[in-house]
Amino acid sequence: MTTDVLIVGAGPTGLTLACDLARRGVDVRIIDKSAAPPRSSRAKGPNLRSLEVLASLGAADEVLAAGSLPLPMRKYRDQVPVADFDPYADPAPVPANAFDWPRLIAQWRLEEILRDRLAKDGVRVELGAELVGLDQHSTGDAAAVTATLADGAALRARYVVGCDGAHSRVRKLLGIPFTGETRTDQVMVCGDVEIDEGALDRGIWHQWFDATGAVMLCPIPGTRAGWWFQAGPERDGAGVPQPPTEEGFRRLLTRHTGLPGEVLRRATLLSTYRVNVRMADRFRDGRVLLAGDSAHVHSIAGGMGMNTGIQDAFNLGWKLAHVLTGLAAPALIDTYEEERLPVAAWTLDFTSARLAETMAAIRRPGGGLDSATAPEASGLSTGYRWSSLAAGAPENGPRAGDRAPDAPCRSAATGAPTRLHHLFAEPRPTLLGFGPESEEILREAARTYGDAVRVHRVYGAEEVPDDPAGVVDHEGRARAAYEPGADGTVVVVRPDHHVGLVAPATEAPRVREYLALLCGGSGATVSRG
């Protein structure tokens, strides 16, 4: 039996992709070599763009409930507190964003939520399944990939996606170079620890810096005494970093914080982190693709690692689904590398710059990890204006390739509050029509594609529509975000919430051509306008 997509690796990237494919009705299997789900708290949590992705998958509410708001940072110098800083204090609400804050949540808890979400679609992670071989081949008219496991089992799939981390077996089996560098002088030891209750304020991310090193302790939401421990390593007489140990963590804690080592009761999942800045030379080899850390790794400064993987998966999922269900030509999958490889390259540069800024900041009293924060880390500004799927460049409003702005609206049928991103959460392209001139092309799209697309007319506050699919822009926020033309405008929003096409309502052929590319089963190219 051949499955549609085999995903190798059940971290946040692989689980996001599996959830997205399963909700689209794609037959998917996801395997992981671990015998049990890991309990590491490594990643700090989803940024604003990843929260939008999780909302589309139906998992954001659980993440919000299980996590916490980002914590203020307390910086110490020589064991004395010298500065508090809250990078997210009192943000001004932005109507074009669905979320105001990123979320702090242990990676293991996020993965647990995604596994539960995936199980609702009847898919469960297959643990203890280690990939050892890949063979791409054709049988008659059907192309497929055979994945061989360590126990001798053979799994056949139409596509395989490697989401198996920086040491990706998938990437190595493909022979794809992982170009870049390992910065051996930039080393940290990390782990999950338990600290005696009352020893530290759990409403603070504590950061101790001095001339000889650093210790950082961030409380893990949803735990009573759990903390994420990061520190400069102990070194031997020759200056060589030593492997992390529980006793070593106690010594580091006392040396840099002044707290007695005994308050650290337990340390697990200890690891050594070295800054790697690497990217795969390509993200696709035939019917095998790479996503997340298997495709790119970089500094943790800015918190982009897990988030970039989640967003890789969300870019790829709908493209695989459209091809596998016959809605689009196979060439659509080529746009995954076209769009995400430049984003990965930018992320490597961005995080390296953030790391350099942080390393300079911590040498000064009051400097800390807040130096890594920047607006770009939200993920909301990431777009694909260069993409072959970006059709047209309007003078005003969002350009094709940009993330589609959100806005509060009301249902034209019930008056209930909603948001544009609630409309985009449906796993299909969405057409927004501004102005009565857009109604004809909206009706035509609905007749032609049925449930394969969603069409919504956006009405002004002064209108009283009789339209069950319409939304009322009661505050004028949607019009302000999209700046439609006086003669009506049609916006095609891709299933991953990015603008595909912005066209005057009078240019119906351009809308038809673009929809044929996304879900018309044709290989048509699109005029960029």
Side-chain angles (χ1 to χ4, degrees):
M1 180 178 177
T2 301
T3 192
D4 286 335
V5 179
L6 173 66
I7 299 170
V8 182
T13 301
L15 289 168
T16 298
L17 180 59
C19 287
D20 198 22
L21 290 170
R23 71 175 180 143
R24 298 175 189 278
V26 173
D27 181 25
V28 60
R29 294 179 71 173
I30 177 168
I31 63 174
D32 196 282
K33 68 179 182 180
S34 299
R39 294 284 292 183
S40 173
S41 303
R42 288 175 297 173
K44 292 296 187 298
N47 63 15
L48 298 183
R49 177 62 185 137
S50 291
L51 283 173
E52 292 179 346
V53 172
L54 295 169
S56 186
L57 299 179
D61 287 347
E62 289 184 74
V63 171
L64 296 177
S68 72
L69 295 176
L71 299 176
M73 303 177 186
R74 178 164 297 160
K75 280 73 71 70
Y76 301 78
R77 197 73 178 183
D78 298 322
Q79 303 181 3
V80 177
V82 293
D84 283 4
F85 179 72
D86 187 350
Y88 300 103
D90 303 319
V94 180
N97 300 348
F99 300 93
D100 295 327
W101 294 274
R103 212 68 179 176
L104 182 66
I105 185 172
Q107 182 172 323
W108 62 263
R109 182 68 181 101
L110 175 62
E111 292 175 357
E112 193 173 66
I113 290 169
L114 288 171
R115 286 195 301 271
D116 289 345
R117 173 64 189 86
L118 184 59
K120 292 178 181 177
D121 283 318
V123 180
R124 297 189 181 277
V125 176
E126 300 172 44
L127 295 166
E130 183 179 0
L131 179 76
V132 295
L134 282 174
D135 176 37
Q136 300 194 58
H137 52 85
S138 297
T139 303
D141 295 330
V145 185
T146 296
T148 304
L149 305 185
D151 64 1
L155 310 180
R156 284 173 54 88
R158 295 171 69 184
Y159 289 91
V160 171
V161 184
C163 304
D164 50 341
H167 301 289
S168 171
R169 180 66 61 82
V170 172
R171 187 188 66 243
K172 292 174 181 177
L173 288 170
L174 295 174
I176 295 177
F178 204 37
T179 306
E181 61 176 342
T182 299
R183 299 176 183 174
T184 55
D185 59 323
Q186 296 174 338
V187 184
M188 250 185 346
V189 290
C190 314
D192 285 300
V193 303
E194 291 184 7
I195 301 289
D196 281 351
E197 292 183 66
L200 287 170
D201 183 347
R202 287 185 62 82
I204 298 289
W205 185 352
H206 301 270
Q207 303 169 14
W208 290 268
F209 303 101
D210 56 45
T212 63
V215 163
M216 292 154 280
L217 280 167
C218 182
I220 301 171
T223 66
R224 188 179 62 185
W227 297 75
W228 178 239
F229 182 103
Q230 298 168 281
E234 294 185 299
R235 295 177 183 268
D236 65 14
V240 176
Q242 297 302 290
T245 65
E246 187 171 308
E247 282 305 314
F249 276 19
R250 291 193 179 99
R251 289 190 294 268
L252 288 167
L253 183 72
T254 298
R255 180 186 311 157
H256 295 293
T257 75
L259 291 168
E262 301 79 55
V263 303
L264 194 158
R265 296 296 180 186
R266 187 167 176 261
T268 58
L269 297 168
L270 309 186
S271 63
T272 297
Y273 169 79
R274 290 178 174 84
V275 174
N276 280 280
V277 182
R278 296 181 180 276
M279 190 169 74
D281 287 8
R282 59 189 187 277
F283 290 3
R284 183 182 183 186
D285 185 321
R287 288 178 168 259
V288 185
L289 300 106
L290 303 174
D293 286 355
S294 66
H296 43 75
V297 292
H298 45 78
S299 161
I300 59 175
M304 302 288 283
M306 178 187 75
N307 289 292
T308 305
I310 286 173
Q311 291 153 38
D312 282 350
F314 203 56
N315 180 286
L316 177 59
W318 71 273
K319 296 172 181 179
L320 281 171
H322 276 218
V323 170
L324 286 163
T325 56
L327 285 173
L332 181 65
I333 299 174
D334 292 335
T335 66
Y336 167 66
E337 178 178 294
E338 177 191 359
E339 293 181 343
R340 293 304 295 179
L341 193 148
V343 169
W346 173 87
T347 303
L348 265 61
D349 290 341
F350 172 77
T351 54
S352 294
R354 292 295 91 207
L355 177 63
E357 180 68 23
T358 301
M359 296 301 291
I362 64 176
R363 296 186 180 98
R364 305 185 298 267
L369 300 188
D370 51 289
S371 300
T373 61
E376 296 91 339
S378 71
L380 298 178
S381 60
T382 300
Y384 314 114
R385 291 184 178 183
W386 61 85
S387 171
S388 57
L389 296 182
E395 294 181 3
N396 302 308
R399 293 178 57 183
D402 291 354
R403 164 194 164 270
D406 196 7
C409 299
R410 294 192 184 280
S411 165
T414 66
T418 187
R419 303 188 65 91
L420 292 183
H421 269 239
H422 291 171
L423 309 181
F424 304 159
E426 291 284 344
R428 64 201 78 183
T430 302
L431 273 69
L432 299 179
F434 292 87
E437 300 84 358
S438 69
E439 292 178 359
E440 183 176 348
I441 189 62
L442 294 184
R443 286 193 295 267
E444 178 185 323
R447 287 195 305 268
T448 303
Y449 294 104
D451 289 340
V453 302
R454 295 296 299 272
V455 298
H456 301 280
R457 169 87 152 80
V458 182
Y459 295 91
E462 71 286 353
E463 298 180 83
V464 184
D466 180 18
D467 179 358
V471 292
V472 178
D473 183 20
H474 62 296
E475 296 180 4
R477 302 290 189 177
R479 181 168 291 274
Y482 287 86
E483 300 186 53
D487 296 328
T489 296
V490 175
V491 180
V492 182
V493 180
R494 301 169 10 170
D496 59 355
H497 312 160
H498 284 267
V499 174
L501 170 72
V502 182
T506 53
E507 298 185 12
R510 290 183 59 203
V511 180
R512 295 188 193 105
E513 186 181 23
Y514 194 80
L515 289 176
L517 176 69
L518 294 191
C519 50
S522 93
T525 58
V526 173
S527 169
R528 299 177 68 84

